[in-house]
């Protein structure tokens, strides 16, 4: 086989792998959901005067919220935010009856943070960039 034929076979295998992966791991993602509204309206764990939505909107330049149901049935709200060259992802696991939530996985530039680093990183958002008005957020 020629190099061109090898390349075509490789591209077909990659495309088919992506299609099979999407079908097997597919989940319905929503960008508007009562679960997203619930998480945004909750108090920031390290400063009860702030709401989660306010902290994220005040710190990140580009933000994206989405909701999905995990394979195990958990209701997950995922926030993705970009600040300078860094992209952060937070997952919140919300109780079905909106009685509580936990901060699940946190990724920084696609690297999953271990629990101790996760909490230290989340704490720093309270003291980093202020708000869009330029006022610094209250520290811990």
């Amino acid at each position: 086989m020629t190099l061109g034929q090898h390349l075509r076979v490789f591209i077909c295998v990659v495309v088919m792998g992506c299609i099979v992966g999407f079908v097997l791991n597919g989940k319905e993602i929503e960008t508007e959901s009562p679960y997203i509204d619930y998480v945004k309206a909750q108090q920031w764990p390290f400063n009860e005067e702030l709401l989660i939505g306010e902290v994220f909107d005040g710190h990140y330049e580009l933000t994206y919220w989405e909701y999905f149901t995990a394979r195990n049935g958990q209701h997950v709200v995922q926030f993705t935010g970009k600040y300078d060259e860094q992209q952060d992802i937070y997952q919140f696991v919300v109780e079905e009856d909106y009685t509580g939530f936990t901060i699940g996985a946190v990724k920084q530039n696609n690297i999953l943070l271990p629990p101790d680093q996760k909490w230290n990183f989340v704490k720093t958002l309270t003291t980093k960039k202020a708000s869009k008005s330029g006022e610094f957020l209250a520290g811990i």
Side-chain angles (χ1 to χ4, degrees):
M1 285 187 359
T2 66
L3 180 59
Q5 290 171 323
H6 281 351
L7 186 58
R8 280 190 290 245
V9 169
F10 175 76
I11 291 171
C12 287
V13 169
V14 169
V15 169
M16 290 304 295
C18 290
I19 291 171
V20 168
F22 178 77
V23 169
L24 293 178
N25 294 315
K27 55 188 173 187
E28 188 174 330
I29 295 176
E30 300 176 30
T31 57
E32 292 184 23
S33 165
Y35 288 99
I36 294 173
D37 296 337
Y38 172 78
V39 170
K40 286 180 170 182
Q42 296 310 298
Q43 293 176 331
W44 185 247
F46 303 102
N47 184 334
E48 294 179 358
E49 296 176 10
L50 299 170
L51 302 179
I52 290 173
E54 294 173 339
V55 171
F56 286 159
D57 288 341
H59 177 72
Y60 291 98
E61 296 160 356
L62 299 171
T63 62
Y64 183 73
W65 292 87
E66 57 189 357
Y67 162 78
F68 59 91
T69 304
R71 286 187 195 148
N72 62 5
Q74 292 180 319
H75 299 278
V76 179
V77 172
Q78 182 168 293
F79 169 83
T80 303
K82 186 164 182 161
Y83 177 73
D84 288 334
E85 297 299 315
Q86 180 174 308
Q87 179 177 328
D88 299 329
I89 299 173
Y90 300 81
Q91 289 187 339
F92 300 88
V93 180
V94 182
E95 298 294 327
E96 185 171 3
D97 58 358
Y98 305 100
T99 56
F101 72 96
T102 57
I103 299 177
V106 176
K107 287 185 177 182
Q108 186 177 32
N109 288 331
N110 254 356
I111 298 172
L112 183 64
L113 299 179
D116 58 333
Q117 288 181 0
K118 170 179 80 172
W119 288 111
N120 287 334
F121 179 69
V122 170
K123 267 187 200 179
T124 64
L125 288 185
T126 312
T127 57
K128 276 190 181 176
K129 185 179 177 188
S131 64
K132 292 180 180 174
S133 67
E135 298 175 11
F136 282 97
L137 300 176
I140 300 169

